[in-house]
Amino acid sequence: MEQQLKQLELEALAKIEAASNLKELNEVRVAYLGKKGPITDLLKGMGKLSPEERPKMGALVNTVREHVTEKLETKVAHLEEQAVLEQLEKEAIDVTLPGRPVRVGNRHPLTRVVEEIEDLFLSMGYEIAEGPEVEKDYYNFEALNLPKGHPARDMQDTFYITEETLLRTHTSPVQARTMIEKKGEPFRIICPGKVFRRDNDDATHSHQFMQVEGLVVGENIRMSDLKGTLDIIAKKMFGADREIRLRPSFFPFTEPSVEMDISCFKCGGSGCNVCKHTGWIEILGAGMVHPNVLEMGGYDPKKYSGFAFGIGAERIAMLKYGVEDIRHFYTNDTRFISQFQRTEG
Ligand code: FA5
């Protein structure tokens, strides 16, 4: 029996050695140490041995079982480690491979135009002002010399929330608000922001669009100051060789009022489809602040004067980037927006 046990141990150890995976090892475990295995059989046969032999054989069986178990466990640990190493090898990351490109967004062309205008005016000592998009009728119209029932209100119909509250039709209410806030002190501001009108949407009109308002109030502010400032805007936005032209116009809050054209940047003034063969393109409304508006804002029109302008940001962006339909700005089609990536300047 002792001989038989030694033989079994050698066999089992050899099979463990030869096993090349966990499945084979498990088969060896079941075959030799399992309930139906030869070692268990031997233990069962112990009853037939003489009482003197029994403890010796019992100890021997246990030693064999321990050897086999130990060897099995060592081999299992080895195979598991092997498996982890193989997996690591297989899944190794090649850090020298080029990375997957990350899609980087870019600024919307309208944001870019507004920021360009802001930078220009900040560099000239202007402050940036803000005002509410849901505005009082008083600031949007009345404080701008447009009392209730004034016919010029028809030019800017809007969305009313109540009789007295509306979506602002232009950024000009910020003129009235800033004058009250500044309490008679001279100032220079620009105010970019969203405005709303009950206009039908088409290629050049939208019910919501952006304006940038400008307002300077102080002593001795003259029409020539306005003209010089507008000239700087035109050259900054459309190139150093742009000429400007002021045409008489009408706004109830400025007197005199003008509309500014720039010489066509495409044809240089000789006439093309961009300028509708006139050589000039209209880009903004402006004028000297009306004395009534100054007075309502708390400034003495005999001492103070001022100029103001209102730029349509979409109009500038359309001209600058050659966009033929204003609706492209609002549909959030990334194919449109991503075209402006390379013009970053
Ligand atoms: C005004 O809104 C005046 N507040 C501008 C102003 C300010 C004049 C200060 C004097 C002093 P107007 O209604 O012309 O003016 O609009 C100004 C600009 O907004 C236009 O030149 C145009 O570029 C743009 N605009 C007007 N309506 C629309 C619209 N429906 N969609 C897109 N842009 C528009």
Side-chain angles (χ1 to χ4, degrees):
M1 191 168 168
E2 198 178 324
Q3 198 55 38
Q4 228 179 323
L5 256 175
K6 283 274 171 221
Q7 187 59 37
L8 270 173
E9 182 181 354
L10 287 178
E11 250 181 62
L13 295 183
K15 284 201 174 152
I16 292 169
E17 190 64 46
S20 59
N21 57 45
L22 292 170
K23 188 168 169 265
E24 281 176 31
L25 268 188
N26 201 39
E27 282 164 8
V28 178
R29 180 199 305 277
V30 173
Y32 286 87
L33 303 176
K35 278 190 191 131
K36 291 178 188 148
I39 295 180
T40 314
D41 280 351
L42 280 176
L43 276 173
K44 280 182 198 154
M46 296 263 286
K48 290 181 205 134
L49 296 175
S50 66
E52 302 83 63
E53 272 181 315
R54 234 178 266 161
K56 195 179 146 216
M57 279 313 293
L60 197 64
V61 171
N62 276 338
T63 315
V64 169
R65 208 160 45 173
E66 269 167 31
H67 279 174
V68 173
T69 308
E70 213 172 278
K71 178 88 180 174
L72 255 169
E73 278 169 4
T74 317
K75 182 81 187 215
V76 166
H78 175 72
L79 282 182
E80 278 176 352
E81 192 182 313
Q82 200 75 15
V84 170
L85 287 176
E86 268 169 33
Q87 187 151 5
L88 281 177
E89 183 95 351
K90 251 197 303 192
E91 292 176 0
I93 297 167
D94 181 354
V95 291
T96 64
L97 277 176
R100 292 204 187 101
V102 177
R103 278 184 54 184
V104 181
N106 54 298
R107 281 176 307 159
H108 192 282
L110 272 179
T111 311
R112 185 168 304 177
V113 162
V114 170
E115 284 179 357
E116 224 176 292
I117 299 173
E118 281 176 356
D119 285 348
L120 171 67
F121 282 94
L122 284 173
S123 77
M124 295 196 289
Y126 284 58
E127 288 174 63
I128 296 179
E130 275 185 12
E133 289 164 13
V134 178
E135 185 54 284
K136 293 272 162 228
D137 181 279
Y138 176 78
Y139 292 110
N140 196 79
F141 290 127
E142 281 171 57
L144 296 172
N145 209 23
L146 273 148
K148 287 203 167 75
H150 192 293
R153 281 195 179 208
D154 290 352
M155 295 194 298
Q156 298 187 9
D157 195 9
T158 184
F159 304 93
Y160 281 84
I161 285 133
T162 65
E163 278 278 302
E164 297 300 331
T165 317
L166 44 80
L167 295 185
R168 66 180 179 189
T169 56
H170 49 179
T171 41
S172 300
V174 179
Q175 289 191 26
R177 285 181 171 276
T178 311
M179 279 190 255
I180 289 165
E181 191 194 309
K182 295 288 181 184
K183 297 194 172 70
E185 290 295 314
F187 65 87
R188 283 176 276 197
I189 55 133
I190 58 157
C191 168
K194 288 191 203 104
V195 301
F196 309 82
R197 289 193 194 174
R198 224 208 60 170
D199 283 352
N200 291 326
D201 290 359
D202 62 24
T204 53
H205 291 85
S206 170
H207 58 279
Q208 180 192 310
F209 56 102
M210 286 199 78
Q211 287 189 339
V212 184
E213 192 82 8
L215 174 65
V216 174
V217 175
E219 288 179 50
N220 278 325
I221 305 292
R222 293 168 309 216
M223 188 82 183
S224 55
D225 297 317
L226 170 63
K227 194 170 175 190
T229 307
L230 297 181
D231 194 42
I232 290 170
I233 301 176
K235 289 182 165 53
K236 164 77 178 168
M237 302 306 290
F238 295 103
D241 46 358
R242 292 281 64 74
E243 299 285 329
I244 65 163
R245 175 175 87 170
L246 301 184
R247 279 181 294 107
S249 183
F250 171 76
F251 298 104
F253 34 93
T254 47
E255 179 60 35
S257 301
V258 294
E259 224 124 10
M260 178 179 101
D261 301 337
I262 56 165
S263 58
C264 180
F265 52 85
K266 189 170 179 207
C267 63
S270 56
C272 69
N273 58 343
V274 172
C275 60
K276 299 198 184 81
H277 303 280
T278 63
W280 296 94
I281 301 167
E282 180 202 315
I283 60 167
L284 56 82
M288 300 307 291
V289 182
H290 196 288
N292 290 353
V293 174
L294 283 172
E295 212 163 341
M296 281 187 273
Y299 287 78
D300 176 0
K302 291 199 187 73
K303 186 171 175 208
Y304 289 102
S305 53
F307 68 73
F309 55 84
I311 310 172
E314 280 83 351
R315 177 71 62 91
I316 302 272
M318 287 172 87
L319 292 170
K320 203 167 153 76
Y321 299 122
V323 177
E324 81 289 356
D325 193 317
I326 196 168
R327 288 165 290 203
H328 287 314
F329 291 124
Y330 316 116
T331 43
N332 280 338
D333 186 336
T334 52
R335 289 173 304 176
F336 170 73
I337 296 170
S338 62
Q339 288 177 52
F340 300 89
Q341 209 127 22
R342 275 182 232 110
T343 55
E344 186 82 57

